[in-house]
Amino acid sequence: MQRIIFHMDGDAFFVGCEVAKNPGLRGLPVVTGEERGIVSALSYEAKTLGIKRGMPIFRVKKDFPCVLVLPGDYASYTRFSQMMFDIVRRYADDVEEYSIDECFADLTGLDRTLKMSYLEIAERIKREVTVELGLSVSVGLAPTKVLAKVASNWVKPNGLTVIDPEKTAGFLLKTPIEKVWGIGPRTAEYLKKKNIQTAGDFAEKDVSWVRNNLSQPYESMWLELNSVCVSQVDSEPKTVYSSIQKTRTFHPPTRDTTFLLSEFSKNIEDACRKARHYKLVSKKISFFLKSRDFKYFTLKIVLDSPTNAPEVLVHEVRLRLGEMYKPGVIYRTTGVTLSDLVPDTVQQGDLFGSGIKAGKFESIHRQLDLLEEKFNKRVVYLGSTHKALNKKKLGTDSEDLDRDLLFL
DNA sequence: TCTGGGGTCCTAGGACCC
DNA sequence: TCTGGGGTCCTAGGACCC
């Protein structure tokens, strides 16, 4: 059966949220990303001035003093995001929250249920988001997810574009190949060498050509461009992860191992907290240090039994820091990845390995996680994380911090 | 004073086994 | 003086997404 897929995309979403919170900003050149040092999102007025995503904030401040630079406020963006998706759910059950500012919905059959045309449903969602939340969005309606993305991108900002099956060819021949979802700069370059300039050129190729020249995911993409629905709208909230990563960049860069270890400790705690939340454990953990000149130094460890207890990992990285730390190198980022995650149902304790150590911490974490979820606030940190917290909370008296937090 | 953070999937190539 | 031919599993790294 022919499906009708809806895609909605926030226009300059982070800035859009800032404007929604403070309507006085409307019409002004605004960027967010001050805390990151590069532009995350920019208003269309800022774009007109020649500012681009990823531009260093210091350059914006220097070359465009009229531009308002704001720090990101992710908690509020997440709230707007949820309110936006809730509006879509007034109409459709099947809503996939694809990213903080994008969702898909399967509208198939809702024209009869709701006694409205598909276009009318899309218009109403868009209008309610605009009126109730003060956010501008662009919307696409098409037979597949890939085509719905092409559609929502067609007119931006504030667009609503329908791609009927009969009209796809016209749209695709005017869509540059690099604008197709899943085609990045490398693949675009490769395809252009093969004389494929537009999504239409690609869609017109034989399936055998696609199989012989590209890897598997591109065949799905090719099918979707040809109106064959391959990827379903998946409304299940994500609960399975194959990996969990936490990284933090700090400034100034440093070679102070005590500080680096506390940054690792913080990342490990955050990653393990998330793993515990989803009841996952890992026995393959990799750590990295990123140097000032963006070189990576990694350390991989394999435990005897999987864990999500930060104490074990903090211990390991402290013991083996020397395997990735090079004296004389200055570092800007640390990170940790828990991979090969498995459900922590029955912890078959490894009596002689690290399993027994992890076991000791299990009930402590269970209690602390409950406490923290109840107060929706981090309450307890490892002592090894102390330094990283002080560093982060600039302007906060560290004694105040100690009064609120308990260190193990 | 350039360059954040969090994911997924695929491929090539080596190790190892029979 | 010529060195098979499979298969599987794992890792590193690339490409892509927001």
Side-chain angles (χ1 to χ4, degrees):
Chain A
M1 176 163 78
Q2 180 69 64
R3 307 210 76 83
I4 304 291
I5 309 297
F6 165 96
H7 180 252
M8 182 167 77
D9 197 348
D11 298 322
F13 184 66
F14 293 174
V15 167
C17 294
E18 295 296 342
V19 174
K21 288 190 284 180
N22 179 0
L25 300 179
R26 198 171 294 280
L28 300 179
V30 180
V31 309
T32 69
E34 185 172 38
E35 81 292 353
R36 288 175 35 177
I38 57 170
V39 173
S40 306
L42 60 164
S43 68
Y44 285 82
E45 293 77 8
K47 198 172 281 181
T48 308
L49 296 176
I51 296 172
K52 301 229 169 3
R53 265 190 69 143
M55 188 181 275
I57 291 291
F58 75 89
R59 252 186 75 196
V60 175
K61 288 183 172 169
K62 192 169 108 218
D63 299 347
F64 308 93
C66 63
V67 172
L68 197 56
V69 177
L70 301 174
D73 173 9
Y74 292 85
S76 77
Y77 306 155
T78 305
R79 286 196 299 274
F80 274 104
S81 173
Q82 284 306 313
M83 293 191 283
M84 202 164 83
F85 299 148
D86 285 342
I87 288 176
V88 183
R89 279 189 279 264
R90 290 173 189 169
Y91 296 86
D93 295 324
D94 250 337
V95 178
E96 175 177 334
E97 303 184 4
Y98 179 70
S99 74
I100 194 163
D101 74 325
E102 277 181 53
C103 68
F104 293 96
D106 192 337
L107 304 187
T108 311
L110 292 180
D111 56 339
R112 297 170 67 101
T113 321
L114 300 173
K115 301 189 171 59
M116 277 183 248
S117 70
Y118 292 119
L119 177 60
E120 203 176 337
I121 297 171
E123 282 171 342
R124 286 176 67 144
I125 293 172
K126 181 165 161 21
R127 188 163 54 240
E128 287 169 28
V129 169
T130 306
V131 171
E132 296 177 31
L133 305 181
L135 290 175
S136 168
V137 292
S138 295
V139 168
L141 223 44
T144 68
K145 285 165 85 172
V146 170
L147 287 171
K149 284 270 258 185
V150 171
S152 66
N153 245 300
W154 196 255
V155 181
K156 236 179 176 317
N158 199 26
L160 197 173
T161 305
V162 182
I163 300 187
D164 296 325
E166 319 82 64
K167 290 196 227 136
T168 45
F171 279 97
L172 295 187
L173 286 170
K174 282 183 244 158
T175 301
I177 189 68
E178 65 272 14
K179 295 201 76 175
V180 176
W181 183 30
I183 306 238
R186 304 306 291 259
T187 309
E189 194 190 355
Y190 172 77
L191 290 174
K192 282 181 180 173
K193 277 198 201 124
K194 306 243 175 211
N195 216 16
I196 293 170
Q197 307 288 336
T198 69
D201 298 339
F202 179 58
E204 284 171 7
K205 286 284 177 187
D206 289 341
V207 68
S208 60
W209 186 93
V210 178
R211 285 181 189 152
N212 291 334
N213 290 275
L214 295 162
S215 66
Q216 206 275 324
Y218 295 94
E219 187 178 333
S220 307
M221 182 186 304
W222 177 86
L223 285 167
E224 292 237 328
L225 286 172
N226 283 295
S227 299
V228 179
C229 211
V230 176
S231 159
Q232 308 299 313
V233 171
D234 179 8
S235 55
E236 292 298 305
K238 187 159 182 58
T239 58
V240 280
Y241 287 89
S242 48
S243 69
I244 290 175
Q245 181 170 22
K246 291 288 171 185
T247 65
R248 304 211 312 166
T249 298
F250 37 82
H251 54 91
T254 184
R255 58 177 148 208
D256 174 355
T257 52
T258 311
F259 177 74
L260 293 172
L261 280 170
S262 73
E263 285 289 320
F264 273 120
S265 180
K266 167 74 173 143
N267 286 327
I268 288 167
E269 280 205 77
D270 291 344
C272 287
R273 202 184 324 267
K274 181 165 177 180
R276 289 196 302 273
H277 184 252
Y278 291 102
K279 305 201 188 313
L280 295 167
V281 287
S282 162
K283 64 171 164 182
K284 281 193 195 172
I285 297 98
S286 75
F287 301 94
F288 74 81
L289 283 164
K290 179 161 49 164
S291 68
R292 205 167 38 174
D293 49 346
F294 285 74
K295 293 208 171 62
Y296 287 82
F297 302 85
T298 60
L299 165 67
K300 295 180 191 314
I301 67 173
V302 181
L303 299 176
D304 298 322
S305 67
T307 186
N308 53 27
E311 292 83 354
V312 178
L313 305 185
V314 170
H315 179 71
E316 286 289 326
V317 74
R318 188 190 305 276
L319 277 183
R320 299 179 58 184
L321 182 68
E323 292 173 43
M324 62 178 149
Y325 178 89
K326 302 291 171 239
V329 178
I330 315 281
Y331 301 98
R332 71 186 328 268
T333 307
T334 76
V336 60
T337 306
L338 314 182
S339 45
D340 284 22
L341 291 164
V342 292
D344 75 344
T345 46
V346 200
Q347 278 259 45
Q348 59 250 35
D350 166 14
L351 290 180
F352 305 103
S354 51
I356 192 158
K357 257 191 281 174
K360 282 198 297 193
F361 298 110
E362 252 177 54
S363 64
I364 299 179
H365 287 303
R366 203 156 35 233
Q367 298 304 318
L368 294 180
D369 289 342
L370 281 174
L371 193 67
E372 295 193 335
E373 294 200 4
K374 182 171 168 189
F375 291 106
N376 196 22
K377 187 177 178 230
R378 307 280 160 263
V379 181
V380 178
Y381 288 92
L382 292 178
S384 51
T385 298
H386 194 173
K387 207 168 188 137
L389 292 174
N390 277 345
K391 191 76 189 177
K392 199 67 188 176
K393 291 255 179 182
L394 289 176
T396 307
D397 189 320
S398 67
E399 282 175 36
D400 281 349
L401 200 67
D402 287 347
R403 222 174 291 138
D404 291 347
L405 297 172
L406 172 67
F407 292 92
L408 293 177

